[in-house]
Structure formats: structure tokens, C-alpha cells
Amino acid sequence: MMENVNDQEMAVTKGSSDGEPYLGMEFESEEAAKVFYDAYATHMGFIMRVDAFRRSMRDGKVVWRRLVCNKEGFRKLRPRRSENRKPRAVTREGCKAMIVVKKEKTGKWVVTRFVKEHNHPLVAIPANGRRSVLLSQTPVAQDTGPSVNYDEKDVKIRELTAELQRERKRSAAYQEQLEMVLRDMENHSHHLSRNIDDIVQSVKQIEAKRIAASHC
């Protein structure tokens, strides 16, 4: 089921550029691989999309994952409902850029395939916030009209994606704090329950002694 390696595949080694994936690169988990490639995508100027996966025949867990450029593949053509509606912008252009990670017996996730080149312009957001367009190594026909709006739309998507990631991190921090509070409340409740049980037992003992003394 694995795709054939084509001429675009980059068999880079550990001596490649800093921050760039390479064959054999290891991650502690699938999520770590996703975070790395998403950060790489942000740096290079494209948007990552989580794509196909395969599960283990033994326990059903994911053991193979493909992470691609969001312009991978082509959109299926559907009949327009109304002639007055504007056609949707083209967001998939058959881009082949991707990495494939596979879970090894050691538990590590290893990069088994890396395709670097994109067939479309890359849109990066510099640290100073200014917008710029970085062209990929593959020649792309330039269009002075709609491409400007297209690039700006891409930048907006990236900005919203970055904001969503920040919100997710903030939400995870709040959830962790909430879980700590709940654990403290549970421990406190357990402590109170033990104290109440001790008091009840003490009252019972006192009552038993009182009854025994009255019969004497």
C-alpha cells in the first residue's frame, strides 16, 4: 500500500538544514511528529494537513501517518447550485509535499518519507508581522490578478490557525489547573469523610459507655 518513491522525494540526512525533516528522524510520539511538521510548515510558508493513517492489525492503534501540504490532491468537481454564486477559490493544486512517519517496535515514530518541493507559491509570515511571498523551488506561473487575493487569503488562514493553536494551548492549561483543583477537592472531601467517620465512632463509643454505666 505504500506509494512508490518518485523523483521529488528528498532523501536528506542529519546533515541537512536545521529544522528540516530527514529520513530516519525520530519522535517520541505521533503528536510530536505533528507538532514538528506543523512548525516546519509555518516556517516554510504552507499549512499542514493531517492525512491518511494505518492501524495495527493487532490492537487497532495508529502506527503509520501521512502529513501533507493543505494543497495536496484536487477538489472533486460538483455541479453548481446557482449560476449567480461565485465559484469557490481553488485550494488544492495537487501538491506532493509531505512526510510519512511510522511507529517502530521501539515505540519511536520515524520519518520514512519526506517530499520537500511544493508546486505552488509559499506564503510566510515574518517575525515583524509584514506579509511576504516566498516562491517554492518548483517554477510556478505568476498571475498579477487573483493571486494577490489568494495569497492574502492564505496568510489569513495561517493567522487563524496560529490563533487556534494558542487557544488550544490556553485551554489545555486551564484544563490542567481545573483537574488539579478537582483533585484537591477530592482529597479534601476524603479527609473530611474520614474525620466525620472518626467523630461518629467516638459518639457511638461514648453512647455505649453511657448506657453501660446506667445499667451498673
Side-chain angles (χ1 to χ4, degrees):
M1 293 177 63
M2 180 71 73
E3 296 100 337
N4 293 328
V5 178
N6 55 35
D7 294 337
Q8 287 185 318
E9 184 168 351
M10 300 296 294
V12 292
T13 63
K14 292 186 179 181
S16 60
S17 301
D18 293 339
E20 182 177 277
Y22 54 85
L23 298 183
M25 188 176 190
E26 294 184 345
F27 300 96
E28 293 296 327
S29 64
E30 178 192 2
E31 187 62 29
K34 291 178 182 177
V35 170
F36 171 83
Y37 195 60
D38 186 53
Y40 171 75
T42 300
H43 174 72
M44 295 301 297
F46 67 97
I47 300 172
M48 179 196 78
R49 188 174 83 240
V50 179
D51 195 45
F53 65 90
R54 296 173 190 168
R55 295 185 182 276
S56 168
M57 297 293 290
R58 183 171 56 85
D59 55 17
K61 294 183 178 180
V62 176
V63 295
W64 184 95
R65 173 71 73 176
R66 182 168 59 207
L67 307 173
V68 301
C69 172
N70 74 320
K71 299 185 189 300
E72 179 270 346
F74 296 94
R75 179 184 295 162
K76 295 181 180 180
L77 295 178
R78 297 178 181 177
R80 295 172 60 182
R81 297 180 181 178
S82 174
E83 293 297 329
N84 296 327
R85 297 181 62 181
K86 295 182 179 180
R88 295 173 62 184
V90 177
T91 56
R92 297 200 179 186
E93 303 179 9
C95 183
K96 300 294 185 182
M98 71 169 76
I99 66 167
V100 172
V101 289
K102 178 183 178 182
K103 187 176 183 180
E104 301 291 348
K105 293 181 179 180
T106 59
K108 301 281 189 179
W109 284 76
V110 180
V111 175
T112 60
R113 187 178 182 190
F114 172 42
V115 179
K116 179 179 179 179
E117 288 85 358
H118 297 255
N119 66 344
H120 57 88
L122 301 182
V123 182
I125 304 177
N128 59 9
R130 295 178 59 187
R131 297 178 179 181
S132 63
V133 178
L134 302 179
L135 296 180
S136 64
Q137 296 179 1
T138 305
V140 179
Q142 297 183 357
D143 189 347
T144 58
S147 62
V148 175
N149 294 332
Y150 179 70
D151 292 338
E152 291 181 353
K153 181 179 180 180
D154 241 17
V155 172
K156 187 62 177 179
I157 292 175
R158 294 180 58 76
E159 291 174 347
L160 292 174
T161 301
E163 181 64 25
L164 178 60
Q165 290 176 346
R166 288 193 293 269
E167 290 299 326
R168 285 178 177 173
K169 291 180 181 179
R170 189 178 296 112
S171 176
Y174 289 153
Q175 182 176 357
E176 183 178 358
Q177 292 178 1
L178 178 59
E179 290 175 352
M180 292 177 60
V181 172
L182 291 176
R183 284 197 297 268
D184 290 342
M185 292 179 63
E186 184 178 358
N187 293 335
H188 185 62
S189 175
H190 181 67
H191 180 69
L192 287 177
S193 297
R194 292 183 57 184
N195 288 343
I196 291 174
D197 290 340
D198 291 342
I199 293 173
V200 171
Q201 291 298 325
S202 297
V203 170
K204 288 182 178 179
Q205 291 176 2
I206 293 172
E207 185 66 18
K209 290 180 180 180
R210 186 185 66 79
I211 293 175
S214 63
H215 289 303
C216 293

